[in-house]
Amino acid sequence: MNTDSRRDYLLKNTMLFTIGNLGSKFISFFLIPLYTNALTTGQYGTVDLITTVSTVAVPIITLNIGESVMRFALDKNADHKMITRCGIYVLLVGSLFGIIIIPICKIFGSLSAYSIFTYFYVISSAFSQLFLCDLRGKELLLQYSIGNIINTLLIAVFNVVLLVVFSRGIEGYLMAYILANFITALYAIVVGKSLSKSQIRRINVPLLKEMVRYSIVLIPNSFMWWIMNSSDRIMVTGMVGIAANGIYAISYKLPTLVITLTQVFNQAWGYSAIREQNAVDESEYNNKVFKALTGFIMLVGIAILTFSKLFLRIYVSANYFTAWKYIPFLTIGCVYLTLGTFIATSYTVHKDGFGYLFSGIFGAAFNVTLNFILIPIIQVYGAALATCISYFLVFLFRMVHTRKYIIYKINNIEFIGGTVILLLSSFCTYMKGHVAFGVQVILLVTAIFLFKDSWKPILLSIFRKAKR
């Protein structure tokens, strides 16, 4: 594939994912003021805990089959209908076994009153994820993006109705997500033709076993990522309090913009990386894209640090403003997590589920250990610092572990200069006064000029596409 074709294919897929992901994230991002005004810090801590539990429950009850549906469908001469059928079979069986979620929730005092809602929250998420993955596997990326927007738009509408109009609190919040997820799944089924008459045929057992073999390895990996992403919230709740967890959950919102802005690219890159497998210049091309991503994501992280305090003053109610204290640690962690996610594409290309597993275990072990050590000493700061360190270690692990596929280079101005400026800006965040903010602005402007080779080609390509 020539350079222009590569760029056009990657840009096209990136723009399609951008439509859905950024559109949905934009709506979701501006729902936070609604949540922080309609729910107390304790209530928001509870719904965040339910979301956290659901995050790990979905891959367990579905055997992570959505990942297999997407990856296997991208192979040449893939039988899309049979692959979808195998995924639906696992989903239905998992939904039956998932009823165990109800008695498990009753064990926890804060969740016992919402056990039924938690079950349907998990099941609706599983249905939505599977059929959206089905669209991605069939490369119906525009339909996939529209599905994401529909999902978030419905969540917003139902939340306004149930939280503001009817004041249903936690129940209203969960009902909004359940309804939106099921409607989104129905949309994906229709546009993806996932339940055509030919679906009545028998299951291809060898294919089902191969798909489960690939996806089941990702279950512990999902659990490990749950530990890194969410165990700190549970431990903060237990060691500091549910209200502290509500504030800590808000502190995640700005740093995860780093992941949100690059998630669309990493998703699109997965398709390009599979196409480029075994190409003569595969390593050179991967490193060229990695270098550009590094400059861009460093710039985004520095911008978030620069304006985090100003933004939180108008973004959340006064009770949540102290969330700024944890943003520097989480932002740094999210920057390196994004780079680690890009590197992990090599695992997807080679169907190396164990690579995901090992890196997940490595990061989770450090995260839990550091949480136990740091939270009792410096409380919520400890959770944020533990997350930052574990994300960085996962990045290092993957960079070394994937050398058997591609050697990624970090001896460039984007990585070294970006790291230095990111750390300096983080330090300035904890300083008071206009001078500190002025220094941050100077650092941001420096980064803009320093990384122009990363963002300038992207803007030019977008302008050319728009003009065309």
Side-chain angles (χ1 to χ4, degrees), residues 66 287 360 402 412 423 430 453:
N287 269 288
T402 56
N412 50 64
L423 292 175
Y430 291 101
D453 290 339

Side-chain angles (χ1 to χ4, degrees), residues 175-413:
M175 287 171 63
Y177 275 83
I178 292 168
L179 292 171
N181 284 335
F182 277 129
I183 294 173
T184 302
L186 182 60
Y187 157 82
I189 289 171
V190 173
V191 299
K193 300 179 181 178
S194 303
L195 295 179
S196 59
K197 293 181 180 178
S198 60
Q199 298 290 65
I200 300 175
R201 294 183 305 175
R202 295 175 61 184
I203 293 290
N204 183 330
V205 177
L207 175 62
L208 176 62
K209 289 181 178 179
E210 187 180 358
M211 289 175 64
V212 171
R213 191 179 302 116
Y214 171 74
S215 65
I216 202 168
V217 175
L218 299 178
I219 296 176
N221 173 66
S222 297
F223 184 64
M224 296 306 166
W225 279 105
W226 173 80
I227 289 176
M228 278 196 288
N229 295 333
S230 306
S231 66
D232 51 352
R233 302 186 194 184
I234 293 178
M235 295 173 74
V236 166
T237 300
M239 297 181 183
V240 186
I242 193 73
N245 180 56
I247 294 173
Y248 185 55
I250 291 297
S251 70
Y252 261 95
K253 300 304 177 181
L254 271 178
T256 51
L257 274 179
V258 174
I259 298 174
T260 299
L261 290 172
T262 54
Q263 181 183 34
V264 294
F265 175 79
N266 280 328
Q267 287 175 332
W269 170 247
Y271 290 84
S272 293
I274 292 172
R275 278 197 174 193
E276 296 298 327
Q277 186 179 7
N278 299 323
V280 176
D281 60 342
E282 180 184 5
S283 180
E284 180 184 349
Y285 180 58
N286 275 254
N287 269 288
K288 180 180 179 181
V289 178
F290 178 68
K291 181 180 178 181
L293 175 66
T294 301
F296 177 76
I297 200 57
M298 289 290 183
L299 184 58
V300 172
I302 295 163
I304 287 174
L305 290 172
T306 303
F307 300 107
S308 58
K309 286 184 182 177
L310 290 175
F311 186 78
L312 281 182
R313 289 190 186 279
I314 59 175
Y315 182 55
V316 298
S317 66
N319 293 334
Y320 290 86
F321 179 69
T322 54
W324 73 265
K325 297 178 181 179
Y326 319 117
I327 288 178
F329 295 108
L330 297 175
T331 300
I332 294 173
C334 287
V335 165
Y336 289 104
L337 174 62
T338 293
L339 298 178
T341 301
F342 178 91
I343 292 173
T345 305
S346 296
Y347 296 142
T348 302
V349 171
H350 297 275
K351 294 182 180 177
D352 184 1
F354 285 100
Y356 279 112
L357 174 61
F358 294 149
S359 60
I361 291 175
F362 179 78
F366 273 96
N367 185 267
V368 172
T369 302
L370 290 173
N371 274 328
F372 272 115
I373 294 173
L374 297 175
I375 293 178
I377 300 174
I378 51 178
Q379 297 192 331
V380 183
Y381 282 107
L385 180 58
T387 297
C388 176
I389 294 173
S390 61
Y391 282 174
F392 180 73
L393 291 177
V394 167
F395 159 74
L396 289 180
F397 180 94
R398 287 179 169 177
M399 188 178 65
V400 174
H401 190 246
T402 56
R403 291 175 68 87
K404 56 187 176 182
Y405 304 125
I406 292 174
I407 298 176
Y408 290 97
K409 301 174 183 178
I410 58 173
N411 57 336
N412 50 64
I413 191 65

Side-chain angles (χ1 to χ4, degrees), residues 9-25 70 74 132-133 135-137 139-146 148-149 260-272:
Y9 181 72
L10 180 57
L11 182 60
K12 181 197 73 173
N13 288 342
T14 301
M15 291 180 72
L16 287 172
F17 278 116
T18 300
I19 292 172
N21 283 269
L22 289 191
S24 61
K25 295 296 183 182
M70 181 185 68
L74 292 174
L132 287 176
C133 281
L135 294 181
R136 286 183 61 185
E139 293 198 58
L140 299 173
L141 300 186
L142 178 59
Q143 292 86 336
Y144 166 78
S145 297
I146 293 173
N148 277 333
I149 293 176
T260 299
L261 290 172
T262 54
Q263 181 183 34
V264 294
F265 175 79
N266 280 328
Q267 287 175 332
W269 170 247
Y271 290 84
S272 293

